Amino acid sequence: MSWRALGALFAVALLLLLLDAFGPGRHAPLPSAGVAGQPLLPRLAANIGRVTRIEVQPARGASVSLLRSTRGWWVQQLGAPADATLVQNWLARLARTRILEAKTRLAAQYALLGVANPGLPGAGLALQLSSPQALPQLLIGHYDARQEGTFVRLRGHAQSLLVAGDVTPPSRAVNWMQHPLLSLPADAVLQIDLIGPGGARFLIDRSLDGAPRVVTAPHGLRQPLALGSLLLGIFDGLDYSGVYARIATPPQALQLRALLSDGSLLTLSAWRGQDGHALGNIGIQAPVGGLPPEAAAGLARTAARVRAHTWQLAPGTWSLLRDALDAKATRPPPALPVTPPSAASSRTPAQAVLRPPPTAAAWAAWRGAP
């Protein structure tokens, strides 16, 4: 073969290499070149504050879009604020993650790691971060607990990688929001009044020493005091698994009213939707006498957040509400006698403060104070 022919072959090979690295649909070469110990996304650490959009596309299901605005991070699909701390912590974790080792470059094996291109068998989750500094699209595959790492691939690059830790972002819009919905210390609840659509009623309050006591319960209900104690703590970590546009409360909904030790009134209307899920509308009213300005502002923020949507309640919440009103004829009489109402049960919020109030930290968390 002549030198001219060899030169032509070399030029063609070089051209193919350049096209592979910089051709259409390709990103710049992987900065770390798959070297163990190097950051996965070297440019992200210096640009976290400049990320304006996060797009998450699961292999199956709807995409999730997070937008940064003057109001903070926002879940576009739900029209609701995202948990800013969660977003920032996840971005920081992604910026810190480092490559453990290079894996396969064979496209036929991508499915085993979950890093195939979107739409293909074995595709994982596609992630795109938008910022003034261009960042590559990341294909996130399986997490390997044995190696404490996640398989990933930068789209447009053949090299798959194993990176440290679990960098998988939430793939459901609701999981980017603040959880739990409410976190109210149980000892801040003075009274729970639960009424069913048929008139069944469960009323529990606290004596002046703080001990719970059942005032009214459905006849034949088993262990009313135990159920009542659970009801008093129902808002201590009240969580949700779905978000809906606000739905009008139907007539058959259960109605719960909770009197708090600062005089606030919290209401929950709960019912089963057509799809079988337990749904709830929540409202909060400030005390008649008002609150200090800072506490009132925090309570108003919490009230606005909880009444903005209809919430899909956790199954345990619905079960507790139903069980507190469900006295079947086959059940034996309650083990503990129902305590009749007394003057103490009708005490006003001002009288209620005779019992030890919740800590300042607990109230600050409840009112949404910074």
Side-chain angles (χ1 to χ4, degrees), residues 42-192:
R43 296 174 178 175
L44 179 57
N47 288 278
I48 286 182
R50 304 174 71 193
V51 174
T52 57
R53 187 181 185 97
I54 300 173
E55 291 278 352
V56 179
Q57 177 59 65
R60 291 177 294 277
S63 63
V64 179
S65 304
L66 301 180
L67 304 177
R68 189 202 294 266
S69 69
T70 55
R71 297 177 295 177
W73 284 101
W74 204 258
V75 185
Q76 186 176 22
Q77 284 75 12
L78 301 179
D83 184 337
T85 301
L86 184 154
V87 176
Q88 290 302 116
N89 287 346
W90 178 78
L91 282 172
R93 187 168 73 249
L94 184 62
R96 289 193 307 266
T97 195
R98 294 183 176 272
I99 298 169
L100 294 178
E101 59 180 300
K103 291 296 182 179
T104 183
R105 294 176 59 89
L106 300 177
Q109 296 183 7
Y110 289 162
L112 298 176
L113 307 182
V115 296
N117 284 338
L120 297 179
L125 181 150
L127 172 72
Q128 181 67 61
L129 306 179
S130 300
S131 77
Q133 178 68 62
L135 296 168
Q137 187 179 60
L138 189 62
L139 304 178
I140 301 177
H142 307 310
Y143 173 73
D144 189 332
R146 295 172 303 173
Q147 302 182 77
E148 297 183 344
T150 307
F151 297 111
V152 302
R153 184 168 64 88
L154 298 186
R155 190 169 186 181
H157 294 270
Q159 183 70 66
S160 60
L161 304 165
L162 178 68
V163 300
D166 187 354
V167 298
T168 308
S171 59
R172 298 178 65 231
V174 71
N175 292 340
W176 285 99
M177 296 177 65
Q178 182 177 334
H179 289 266
L181 178 60
L182 288 172
S183 183
L184 176 63
D187 63 353
V189 180
L190 295 183
Q191 185 184 84
I192 291 284

Side-chain angles (χ1 to χ4, degrees), residues 182 184 188 235 246 255-269 281-291 295-304 306-307 349 363 366-367:
L182 288 172
L184 176 63
F235 298 110
R246 186 77 173 189
Q255 302 291 339
L256 182 147
R257 292 160 56 91
L259 176 64
L260 310 183
S261 61
D262 69 344
S264 302
L265 183 65
L266 198 156
T267 60
L268 168 65
S269 303
N281 285 337
I282 299 175
I284 301 174
Q285 297 177 25
V288 175
L291 291 168
L299 187 64
R301 288 193 297 269
T302 301
V306 299
R307 70 167 173 257
W363 274 121
W366 151 241
R367 291 173 177 149

Side-chain angles (χ1 to χ4, degrees), residues 337-351:
V338 174
T339 305
S342 69
S345 66
S346 60
R347 61 186 180 274
T348 65
Q351 294 170 318

